[in-house]
Amino acid sequence: EASYKVVHDTVRYQMKAKLKVPRAVGIKHQPEAEEELKKKLPQYLEVIKKYVIPPIDRQRKIRYWCEDESRVGLKTEAGRLITTKGTKPIGIMQWQRENFYLYGLVEPLTGEYFIWEFSDLNAACFSVFLEKFSATYAQDIYIIQLDNGAFHFSQHLQIPENVI
């Protein structure tokens, strides 16, 4: 057991962490629309199976996955400078970043996930990620929901045959 002050000082000053406020739900948030999508998703998948997937592949199982990326790492913090009272300190600083990117897929229905680490966030890395995913899960057809990242729509993006 420890007092609140000990826990706060440890977390705040030694671990350099802060209490976070949860993201507010926007006024455009529509729980009804989410529920409707959940109910109609099987119908949407059947339409995709009928009109998008070639007849030879229609016997394969369709699985729905969601994808996102995240940068993990650290950025150096600004140091303090000594100046006279009332003078704003000006110092030359070069930000240094040590980071990597995690690309991840999750299947909401089962909770199954696939994560891979990359050095950059671009179409080349995303193509490799999709190839690794496709090779790992080669037996089914996968519909992947993406965000609006520019590299998701690159002309240089190579999408495996079993990924939509």
Side-chain angles (χ1 to χ4, degrees):
E1 290 189 26
S3 68
Y4 177 82
K5 180 170 178 23
V6 170
V7 173
H8 177 268
D9 289 352
T10 303
V11 171
R12 177 68 180 101
Y13 300 111
Q14 292 179 11
M15 297 173 70
K16 305 224 184 304
K18 296 181 182 177
L19 290 174
K20 303 292 183 183
V21 177
R23 183 182 300 185
V25 175
I27 58 174
K28 293 181 180 179
H29 181 250
Q30 299 172 344
E32 304 85 23
E34 288 179 16
E35 291 304 318
E36 183 179 344
L37 175 65
K38 289 177 187 176
K39 289 177 186 173
K40 291 187 175 181
L41 187 59
Q43 296 170 357
Y44 294 151
L45 294 178
E46 285 303 317
V47 169
I48 290 171
K49 187 174 187 176
K50 185 174 181 181
Y51 296 108
V52 177
I53 298 173
I56 196 167
D57 290 333
R58 289 192 183 149
Q59 301 305 317
R60 295 167 76 180
K61 184 178 176 185
I62 297 176
R63 296 174 68 183
Y64 171 77
W65 293 66
C66 299
E67 189 273 345
D68 206 359
E69 315 79 28
S70 183
R71 183 172 69 192
V72 179
L74 59 95
K75 177 176 79 169
T76 56
E77 302 238 351
R80 296 178 181 222
L81 298 174
I82 298 175
T83 63
T84 59
K85 186 174 180 177
T87 304
K88 185 174 181 176
I90 298 174
I92 298 172
M93 173 165 232
Q94 174 66 42
W95 291 107
Q96 294 178 355
R97 296 185 186 270
E98 297 175 17
N99 59 49
F100 59 91
Y101 290 89
L102 291 177
Y103 290 58
L105 284 159
V106 66
E107 184 177 29
L109 188 62
T110 64
E112 191 171 349
Y113 60 89
F114 181 81
I115 298 173
W116 208 263
E117 177 184 325
F118 288 92
S119 60
D120 295 301
L121 186 64
N122 57 30
C125 290
F126 189 60
S127 292
V128 171
F129 175 70
L130 289 178
E131 283 298 324
K132 290 188 178 297
F133 174 73
S134 177
T136 303
Y137 296 92
Q139 66 277 13
D140 297 326
I141 294 178
Y142 303 95
I143 296 173
I144 299 177
Q145 180 179 345
L146 305 170
D147 56 14
N148 288 327
F151 58 93
H152 293 315
F153 306 104
S154 171
Q155 293 178 352
H156 304 292
L157 186 62
Q158 296 174 3
I159 302 173
E161 288 186 14
N162 65 336
V163 173
I164 297 173

